[in-house]
Amino acid sequence: MHDVLIIGAGPAGLSAALWCDKLGLDTLVLEQKKEVGGQLLSIHNAIDDYPGGRAAHGRELRDRLVEETKNSDFDLWTRVEIESVDVKAKRVKLKSGEDLPAIAMIIATGLRRRKLGIPGETELAGRGVIESATKERNALAGKDVCVIGGGDAAAENALLLGEVCPTVTLVHRGKKLSARREFSEQLHTHHCVTVFPESRVVRIIGENHVEAVEIERAQAIKPFQMAVQGVVVRIGFEPNTGCVVGQLKVDARGYLTVDSQQETSVSNVFAIGDVANPLAPTIAGAVGAGATAAKVIASRLGK
Ligand SMILES: Cc1cc2nc3c(=O)[nH]c(=O)nc-3n(C[C@H](O)[C@H](O)[C@H](O)COP(=O)(O)OP(=O)(O)OC[C@H]3O[C@@H](n4cnc5c(N)ncnc54)[C@H](O)[C@@H]3O)c2cc1C
């Protein structure tokens, strides 16, 4: 029996684990991926808004966090596959057979990129359907690309690619972009960016690599195909709540609901970081929430 089971080893989960360990709580962290760090591993730009923690990119900050964990005694299991979570009983069963009971549980499972769910998206992932324009800019240089989404991230990606690609087509569903005005204005006057409002990409086409996208436009009578060699999908994020679905209270967008102590609708089950923070998902917020949950648990257990 552990004092605390933490699901997820992004900044929130790792912060909670470090605090739990400092406070004398016997702690086990379960991470599904091979590497810890969560979204930090997807940040390819400089981090300059985490007070006291500037870094050239997310991996640098992650490495510093991992270095810190080396002086701690909490257990960390990576590549775990959770079979089921019983939040009331505070028990996690793994597909590998382990049955893990605890006194308290912290959900720190973060967010994942929202997918379109269209044909070709998964099949051509990494073969033209790319994760990040910042990371893959050089690989996409000289190619015609399609960016899907109407928010800040899509706009930023389109502008970034507009520096190196002959054509960038930004496809979004709304009448107007939801990206900040500064981005929208730059996009609408950019020499190689074309914006398709009220439009949807319905299929990504290609044998071994992206060759075209099929687009439906409100103004067009039927879908048409456009030749591109790269596709970037930036349509937002959704919370990773699959392992506790139906067991904890969530808001209208599916984020876990917590009180000021980071406690969920079930006693001694806490949620921290982006999975419980729809309004301001940040590294600072995730790390702070980890500290709060750990301190609340420690005081309840008399530590
Ligand atoms: C491109 C990009 C740039 C960003 N730039 C900044 C920035 O400049 N400044 C800033 O403050 N924030 C930035 N962020 C946001 C920041 O990275 C997040 O707010 C932060 O990582 C949230 O931490 P978290 O621990 O809550 O979640 P995550 O980082 O998402 O970590 C969650 C972890 O839980 C694991 N997990 C999920 N489900 C399970 C499961 N069922 N079983 C086991 N493990 C599971 C995941 O694999 C992951 O490791 C950026 C994010 C992105 C994507």
Side-chain angles (χ1 to χ4, degrees):
M1 166 83 87
H2 288 88
D3 290 333
V4 189
L5 263 184
I6 300 175
I7 306 178
L14 289 175
S15 161
L18 285 163
W19 274 95
C20 284
D21 185 63
K22 268 193 198 99
L23 295 166
L25 298 165
D26 174 19
T27 304
L28 169 62
V29 185
L30 303 172
E31 166 59 48
Q32 65 188 0
K33 300 239 168 87
K34 187 172 75 172
E35 283 195 294
V36 304
Q39 292 169 64
L40 291 184
L41 296 168
S42 311
I43 306 180
H44 304 289
N45 49 294
I47 296 170
D48 55 14
D49 53 10
Y50 176 42
R54 278 173 183 264
H57 40 69
R59 183 171 281 278
E60 184 183 306
L61 185 60
R62 178 214 95 111
D63 288 350
R64 294 212 295 265
L65 252 176
V66 169
E67 194 54 38
E68 219 174 307
T69 65
K70 289 186 182 152
N71 301 318
S72 287
D73 277 336
F74 65 82
D75 290 322
L76 169 65
W77 296 359
T78 53
R79 285 178 162 158
V80 298
E81 279 189 84
I82 291 179
E83 169 83 36
S84 64
V85 178
D86 183 337
V87 292
K88 286 222 167 90
K90 281 147 209 74
R91 248 189 149 86
V92 173
K93 282 192 184 150
L94 301 186
K95 286 198 175 148
S96 46
E98 289 90 345
D99 188 357
L100 304 164
I103 298 170
M105 193 178 272
I106 301 179
I107 317 294
T109 45
L111 305 180
R112 64 175 178 276
R113 282 196 200 288
R114 196 183 290 281
K115 290 203 165 193
L116 288 163
I118 57 171
E121 185 181 23
T122 306
E123 298 84 336
L124 294 165
R127 292 184 292 140
V129 177
I130 62 146
E131 272 266 311
S132 156
T134 321
K135 191 177 161 202
E136 311 268 353
R137 207 164 79 114
N138 291 344
L140 289 175
K143 297 182 175 158
D144 299 312
V145 296
C146 174
V147 178
I148 304 168
D152 282 347
E156 257 187 309
N157 276 262
L159 289 169
L160 205 65
L161 293 172
E163 293 169 11
V164 294
C165 298
T167 70
V168 178
T169 307
L170 182 78
V171 179
H172 70 102
R173 287 189 311 184
K175 277 196 171 140
K176 279 177 68 179
L177 289 167
S178 57
R180 66 182 84 145
R181 214 165 76 193
E182 163 204 346
F183 287 154
S184 305
E185 283 171 2
Q186 281 184 58
L187 284 170
H188 283 112
T189 54
H190 199 287
H191 69 283
C192 68
V193 178
T194 309
V195 180
F196 281 3
E198 294 184 87
S199 307
R200 292 189 317 136
V201 170
V202 290
R203 190 156 68 105
I204 302 171
I205 302 155
E207 275 289 312
N208 295 312
H209 199 274
V210 170
E211 292 166 19
V213 285
E214 189 167 301
I215 300 175
E216 274 179 9
R217 296 200 68 185
Q219 300 94 324
I221 299 160
K222 54 180 188 171
F224 62 95
Q225 290 188 5
M226 185 177 71
V228 291
Q229 296 85 51
V231 175
V232 184
V233 183
R234 277 290 180 282
I235 53 167
F237 290 87
E238 53 196 355
N240 288 318
T241 50
C243 63
V244 291
V245 76
Q247 300 186 63
L248 298 172
K249 224 169 149 183
V250 293
D251 71 8
R253 292 164 61 198
Y255 286 78
L256 296 176
T257 309
V258 291
D259 64 16
S260 59
Q261 304 197 9
Q262 299 298 140
E263 194 165 19
T264 65
S265 49
V266 171
S267 174
N268 286 330
V269 177
F270 298 77
I272 58 172
D274 287 7
V275 73
N277 189 354
L279 295 179
T282 58
I283 301 162
V287 165
T292 302
K295 288 197 125 187
V296 172
I297 295 168
S299 78
R300 285 190 191 168
L301 299 192
K303 302 266 183 172

